[in-house]
Amino acid sequence: MSIQDNLERIQEHIAAACARRGRSPEEVTLVAVSKQQPPEAVLEAAGLGVQHFGENRVEEAQGKIPVVNQRAPQPLHWHMIGHLQSRKAKDAVPLFQMIHSVDRLKIARKLSDLAVMQQTRLPVLLEINISGEEAKYGFPLTNWQRDSSVREAFWQTMHTLRELPQLDIRGLMTMAPYYDEVERTRPIFASLAELRDALRGSFRLPLPELSMGMSNDYPVAVEEGATIVRIGRAVFGARH
Ligand SMILES: *Cc1c(COP(=O)(O)O)cnc(C)c1O
C-alpha cells in the first residue's frame, strides 16, 4: 500500500467514526507520526496534503524538521509527542508548534520559563496516564472517577499549571495500552474525555483538544471524542 492509499483509508475510517457519533470529520486533525521515517517519506505525505506531523525525539527532530520544512509545499505544523527531558526543552520549543507530552510539573515550569524568555505563548497538552500502565508517562489519573485522593492531587497540580505564564493548555493527551481486542481501549478514551469535561467545569479552561488514538485504535478514539489522532504505521508502514 502506498502512503496515498493509506491516507485515503484513514480518512475514510475517521469519517465513518465521526458519522457514527454525529461529528464532523473537520473536528479531527490527523497528525502523521513521522518518527523513524526519512524526510522523503514525510515530504511525500506533505505533498498529499498532510500538514501535521509528530516526532518523539528532539535529536531526530532537529535533523529532520528544518530539512523537511525547507522543501515542503506548504507550511507544516510539528507536534512533539514523546517524553521530553528538561535539558532538551530549550531545543524543542523553537521546533514544535505544539507539545503533547507535558507529563509532570517540572517540565511544565521549564517550558513556561522558556516561553516567557522567547516571548511566545506555547500551546501544550497535558499527558495523562489513565491506564495505570507503569511503562506510560503522564500525570497519574487511574481510577480518578472513583478515587478522590487521585482527583484531589491532580486538581492541586492543575491550580499550579494554570498559573504558569505563557503556557497555553489546549487539552489532554493519552496513550492506551496495545490490546488485540481494540474495544478494550474505549473506557480509557471515554475516561479522558470525562476528565476534560470535569476540568473544564472546575478551572474555566476551554480545553478543546483531546489527543488520543494511534494506528490500532484511532476509530474508537474518534468515537469517544478525539480531536487529534496520532498515526504512524498506518500512514507510513513499518518504521525503519
Ligand atoms: C509512535 C507513537 C504514535 C504512533 O504510533 P503508531 O502505532 O505508529 O500509529 C502515537 N503516539 C505516540 C506518543 C507515539 O510515540
Side-chain angles (χ1 to χ4, degrees), residues 33 35 56 81 173 175 214-215 230-233 239:
V33 175
K35 65 188 187 193
N56 71 334
I81 62 171
M173 179 271 228
M175 278 172 93
M214 319 196 334
S215 291
R230 311 176 309 268
I231 305 183
R233 288 164 303 150
R239 284 185 272 277

Side-chain angles (χ1 to χ4, degrees), residues 102-110 139 157 160-161 164:
V102 172
D103 56 6
R104 59 203 191 284
L105 204 44
K106 186 180 171 203
I107 195 71
R109 287 204 169 98
K110 179 92 200 184
F139 293 99
T157 305
T160 310
L161 286 168
L164 293 175

Side-chain angles (χ1 to χ4, degrees), residues 88-97 99 111 114-115 118 120 122:
K88 298 281 170 63
K90 189 157 149 290
D91 295 328
V93 167
L95 286 170
F96 292 100
Q97 282 69 56
I99 294 180
L111 290 169
L114 288 163
Q118 302 185 10
T120 54
L122 191 64

Side-chain angles (χ1 to χ4, degrees), residues 67-143:
V67 172
V68 171
N69 280 349
Q70 207 182 18
R71 292 163 57 195
Q74 72 270 2
L76 303 180
H77 303 269
W78 292 90
H79 299 251
M80 175 59 185
I81 62 171
H83 177 67
L84 184 56
Q85 292 170 282
S86 296
R87 62 191 173 83
K88 298 281 170 63
K90 189 157 149 290
D91 295 328
V93 167
L95 286 170
F96 292 100
Q97 282 69 56
M98 183 180 269
I99 294 180
H100 293 220
S101 43
V102 172
D103 56 6
R104 59 203 191 284
L105 204 44
K106 186 180 171 203
I107 195 71
R109 287 204 169 98
K110 179 92 200 184
L111 290 169
S112 172
D113 289 348
L114 288 163
V116 169
M117 277 193 284
Q118 302 185 10
Q119 298 185 335
T120 54
R121 204 162 150 72
L122 191 64
V124 302
L125 304 178
L126 304 178
E127 182 171 355
I128 306 294
N129 184 343
I130 293 274
S131 69
E133 266 193 314
E134 277 187 32
K136 297 265 185 284
Y137 291 106
F139 293 99
L141 278 144
T142 314
N143 283 333

